[in-house]
Amino acid sequence: MSEEKSLNFIEEIITADLAAGKYPDGIRTRFPPEPNGYLHIGHAKSICLNFGLADTYGGTCNLRFDDTNPSTEETEYVESIKEDIRWLGFRWANEFYASDYFEQLYGFATDLIRKGLAYVDDSTSEEIAATKGSLTEPGKESPYRNRSVEENLELFAAMRAGKYKDGEKVLRAKIDMAHPNLLLRDPVIYRIKHAHHHRTGDQWCIYPMYDFAHGQSDSIEQITHSICTLEFIHHRPLYNWFIEQLGIFPSRQYEFARLNLTYTVMSKRKLLQLVNEQHVSGWDDPRMPTISGLRRRGYTPEAIRRFCETIGVAKRENLIDVSLLEFCVREHLNKVTNRVMAVLDPVKLIITNYPEGQTEEVTAENNPEDPSAGSRQLPFSRELWIEREDFMEQPPKKFFRLGPGLMVRLKNAYIVRCDDFRKDETGRVTEIYCTHLPDSKSGNDTSGINVKGTIHWVSVPHAKTAEVRLYDRLFKSEDPSSEEGDFKEYLNPSSLEVLPQVYIEPSLAEAKPGERFQFLRKGYFCVDTDSTTDRLIFNRTVTLKDTWAKQAAKPGA
């Protein structure tokens, strides 16, 4: 009998709620991004959690855009977020926007004013901050705190009508200036912002703060389990206070640990800085932790979902090794990608006893992990490109590739023996001369000779050319956000190496953007969106092995 998968703490809560008959119509979750940037791998964890819970328990999950700050939000970000969620394999039950509720939220605010629980404050943001107090000292009440209900209603209506400038007035909840939770010391719930909104245009010039809009939006949609990251745990009492005072549907907030990944920054502000200062080519630069960047690099949605499942849902923050994400990517790509041959650092190999002008076809298996992937025919000729690292003038004892007198198998083809080589005036090897064993062809080898090494190759007259971009980790620090000074000081100067002239087998000539391959012995690669039929560009998704683990193990690394 297989062992049942253990429940995380949120699943335990939902299971208990359903067993108690709390939600006969099913659970409702939501994913509520602010459209002020592109989603990153941390958001993927939240997406998988919210949509996954709805799927597991037969509920629904809404996509709701928290668009309450018009100066930072754009339609471009809305569309990118929707594309990323679809690509990850999820579909939302409803598409909502906090701006859909602006009129209702305004009504909620006036309800609080009528109950004597909110007031208009003329203080500046600096003055409000100065009177907040501290963890050991209570705050000081605003001189405007005891305005009459009528005056507050009149002033709030005037704020909406646009009679005041930005920062001239705010609406604050009247709670307790001595509350031990500083967030409940008369928080600002509306501010004036004369800015064009991407959906409502210039209809509004006052906008609700996140803490005011969030819980009420959940309530309007009757969200049963409002799942947030741990930094919102101190906001929960305020979330509950608004719902209780307004007497609306009692949505409940639960918090889980956000994803922190080594060699990565997750702050949208910092990611935007990298884009604006052109440290990367854009939000979808393959070095970025954005979902669009990971997609362009060649990551698969299956691998990302598997990663999110593996790390699980916890109540305590921790730092996840990016190697685990890369492992999940390798594991999936190993199953689904065809093996092809590409020579990244070429040197010419000439088979001196192979007839000039002759070409024959050799059979290559597409994917040994997937028999249904079939095979293809590759042209083989007298002159081949091989990797420069596969030849050494003075090879050590356990070097099982080419060197004077050494033998090696050419993948899917013949065994060859190195007889000679030629160098240019700088001492660089330019040509390697070999003889082949005609009776050693793969699949029909009668030579009786066993060799320990196999190398890949591309036929010179049939080779196509491509640009290859070797991407590595964007930061050289394991935790750049915790380092002293500017986080950009820890950018990895070797995070991108461009190889402008790589030789690839002819079967890749028609490869389309987004297609993924394993370059034999080199790693997993994806056709970049910049590719054209005249110029193919491949991005390295991930190496075949975790090379960083080896580097970290070196003395002095």
Side-chain angles (χ1 to χ4, degrees):
M1 183 176 177
S2 61
E3 187 178 335
E4 288 189 15
K5 175 180 173 288
S6 61
L7 302 179
N8 63 52
F9 77 95
I10 295 177
E11 290 170 335
E12 289 175 348
I13 291 169
I14 293 174
T15 300
D17 286 345
L18 292 177
K22 281 188 178 180
Y23 306 110
D25 296 330
I27 69 164
R28 295 189 184 94
T29 62
R30 84 290 170 269
F31 175 63
E34 183 180 359
N36 63 349
Y38 282 63
L39 297 183
H40 54 60
I41 185 69
H43 295 110
K45 178 180 177 180
S46 182
I47 290 168
C48 291
L49 177 58
N50 281 288
F51 283 92
L53 289 171
D55 290 344
T56 299
Y57 292 95
T60 58
C61 182
N62 292 342
L63 170 61
R64 182 176 73 240
F65 291 96
D66 173 33
D67 56 344
T68 58
N69 187 0
S71 57
T72 61
E73 298 157 0
E74 298 178 19
T75 302
E76 173 195 347
Y77 298 140
V78 169
E79 295 306 316
S80 74
I81 289 168
K82 292 195 284 188
E83 181 184 0
D84 288 345
I85 296 171
R86 291 191 194 101
W87 179 75
L88 281 171
F90 298 106
R91 298 293 181 270
W92 48 91
N94 302 284
E95 182 179 323
F96 293 132
Y97 297 78
S99 54
D100 293 336
Y101 311 134
F102 279 173
E103 195 65 54
Q104 283 171 281
L105 294 170
Y106 179 82
F108 287 149
T110 56
D111 284 349
L112 291 177
I113 293 173
R114 289 190 184 96
K115 291 179 177 181
L117 297 174
Y119 61 96
V120 174
D121 195 334
D122 299 359
S123 306
T124 65
S125 58
E126 292 79 13
E127 288 170 339
I128 292 174
T131 59
K132 276 284 186 179
S134 67
L135 292 173
T136 56
E137 294 183 1
K140 295 179 182 178
E141 292 187 357
S142 165
Y144 307 99
R145 195 173 195 266
N146 295 313
R147 277 174 163 159
S148 68
V149 168
E150 293 72 20
E151 185 181 7
N152 282 316
L153 286 172
E154 185 179 329
L155 288 171
F156 191 46
M159 285 169 62
R160 175 177 180 171
K163 293 186 178 180
Y164 304 109
K165 297 176 183 177
D166 289 8
E168 205 169 338
K169 295 184 188 298
V170 294
L171 183 70
R172 296 176 70 178
K174 186 189 287 188
I175 306 179
D176 181 359
M177 289 303 292
H179 199 285
N181 184 336
L182 272 63
L183 292 173
L184 275 77
R185 293 183 183 178
D186 290 13
V188 174
I189 58 177
Y190 263 91
R191 80 285 205 197
I192 300 168
K193 190 176 281 286
H194 291 273
H196 188 80
H197 191 278
H198 72 105
R199 290 186 76 240
T200 60
D202 299 318
Q203 182 180 349
W204 291 86
C205 63
I206 58 170
Y207 292 92
M209 303 297 286
Y210 173 86
D211 276 331
F212 185 69
H214 181 56
Q216 286 86 308
S217 297
D218 283 344
S219 185
I220 291 167
E221 295 171 24
Q222 297 196 351
I223 300 302
T224 60
H225 298 80
S226 175
I227 301 164
C228 302
T229 45
L230 279 179
E231 63 263 36
F232 292 101
I233 193 167
H234 298 298
H235 297 245
R236 193 200 315 157
L238 184 55
Y239 180 103
N240 293 337
W241 187 87
F242 284 128
I243 287 175
E244 289 165 7
Q245 300 305 322
L246 292 167
I248 54 181
F249 179 85
S251 293
R252 292 288 305 278
Q253 178 178 300
Y254 304 92
E255 306 85 15
F256 70 100
R258 65 185 299 169
L259 173 61
N260 298 302
L261 206 58
T262 58
Y263 301 100
T264 310
V265 296
M266 295 291 198
S267 160
K268 272 192 199 175
R269 177 183 59 80
K270 290 179 178 177
L271 294 176
L272 181 60
Q273 210 173 330
L274 294 176
V275 173
N276 288 343
E277 295 177 15
Q278 299 183 338
H279 296 286
V280 293
S281 61
W283 284 100
D284 67 344
D285 186 299
R287 293 166 292 180
M288 290 279 274
T290 54
I291 296 175
S292 56
L294 298 177
R295 177 167 63 244
R296 184 176 176 185
R297 185 159 173 168
Y299 281 40
T300 63
E302 294 88 347
I304 293 174
R305 294 200 304 268
R306 174 63 176 156
F307 169 71
C308 293
E309 179 186 351
T310 302
I311 61 176
V313 178
K315 292 183 178 181
R316 190 172 62 182
E317 297 279 6
N318 60 346
L319 189 62
I320 303 296
D321 193 331
V322 72
S323 295
L324 177 59
L325 173 59
E326 293 166 347
F327 169 80
C328 292
V329 174
R330 283 191 195 95
E331 188 178 48
H332 187 242
L333 290 178
N334 183 53
K335 296 175 184 175
V336 301
T337 56
N338 285 350
R339 278 57 167 165
V340 296
M341 294 200 278
V343 178
L344 277 56
D345 185 14
V347 63
K348 187 179 287 187
L349 181 149
I350 300 170
I351 306 173
T352 56
N353 66 334
Y354 195 90
E356 290 192 43
Q358 178 175 307
T359 300
E360 64 178 297
E361 300 289 324
V362 299
T363 302
E365 190 178 12
N366 285 329
N367 186 349
E369 299 289 326
D370 180 12
S372 67
S375 61
R376 67 193 185 285
Q377 297 297 301
L378 289 176
F380 182 87
S381 65
R382 174 186 171 92
E383 295 189 357
L384 309 172
W385 295 115
I386 67 167
E387 292 288 350
R388 186 169 295 279
E389 67 181 10
D390 285 338
F391 173 82
M392 289 184 72
E393 291 182 56
Q394 298 177 319
K397 278 188 177 181
K398 292 189 177 180
F399 186 74
F400 299 124
R401 286 168 279 171
L402 281 176
L406 296 183
M407 302 176 75
V408 74
R409 178 172 291 283
L410 299 172
K411 180 72 174 174
N412 304 310
Y414 298 96
I415 294 173
V416 294
R417 182 183 64 242
C418 177
D419 302 318
D420 200 2
F421 60 92
R422 180 177 297 168
K423 297 193 288 188
D424 61 18
E425 61 277 5
T426 68
R428 183 177 172 85
V429 175
T430 56
E431 291 180 342
I432 301 165
Y433 299 98
C434 294
T435 49
H436 80 300
L437 307 183
D439 56 352
S440 65
K441 188 174 182 181
S442 294
N444 191 29
D445 185 351
T446 59
S447 68
I449 296 175
N450 291 318
V451 292
K452 292 187 176 179
T454 299
I455 65 173
H456 65 282
W457 51 272
V458 174
S459 169
V460 170
H462 305 93
K464 304 298 180 184
T465 58
E467 176 182 307
V468 165
R469 298 171 181 175
L470 301 178
Y471 290 102
D472 216 324
R473 296 173 184 176
L474 187 54
F475 290 91
K476 56 189 178 182
S477 166
E478 187 177 72
D479 190 5
S481 294
S482 69
E483 298 280 8
E484 292 183 3
D486 190 337
F487 77 102
K488 298 189 298 298
E489 294 175 13
Y490 302 94
L491 283 165
N492 177 12
S494 304
S495 63
L496 171 60
E497 180 185 359
V498 178
L499 306 179
Q501 180 104 341
V502 163
Y503 292 109
I504 57 175
E505 65 173 69
S507 72
L508 290 171
E510 304 300 321
K512 301 293 189 295
E515 285 191 83
R516 305 175 185 92
F517 303 91
Q518 184 195 110
F519 286 3
L520 282 175
R521 304 170 62 226
K522 296 279 111 184
Y524 295 97
F525 290 78
C526 176
V527 184
D528 188 70
T529 51
D530 287 344
S531 273
T532 65
T533 52
D534 298 326
R535 182 154 188 79
L536 280 170
I537 301 171
F538 290 89
N539 298 326
R540 182 170 67 189
T541 306
V542 69
T543 55
L544 288 178
K545 295 180 180 179
D546 184 359
T547 55
W548 276 73
K550 290 183 180 180
Q551 290 177 27
K554 290 179 182 178

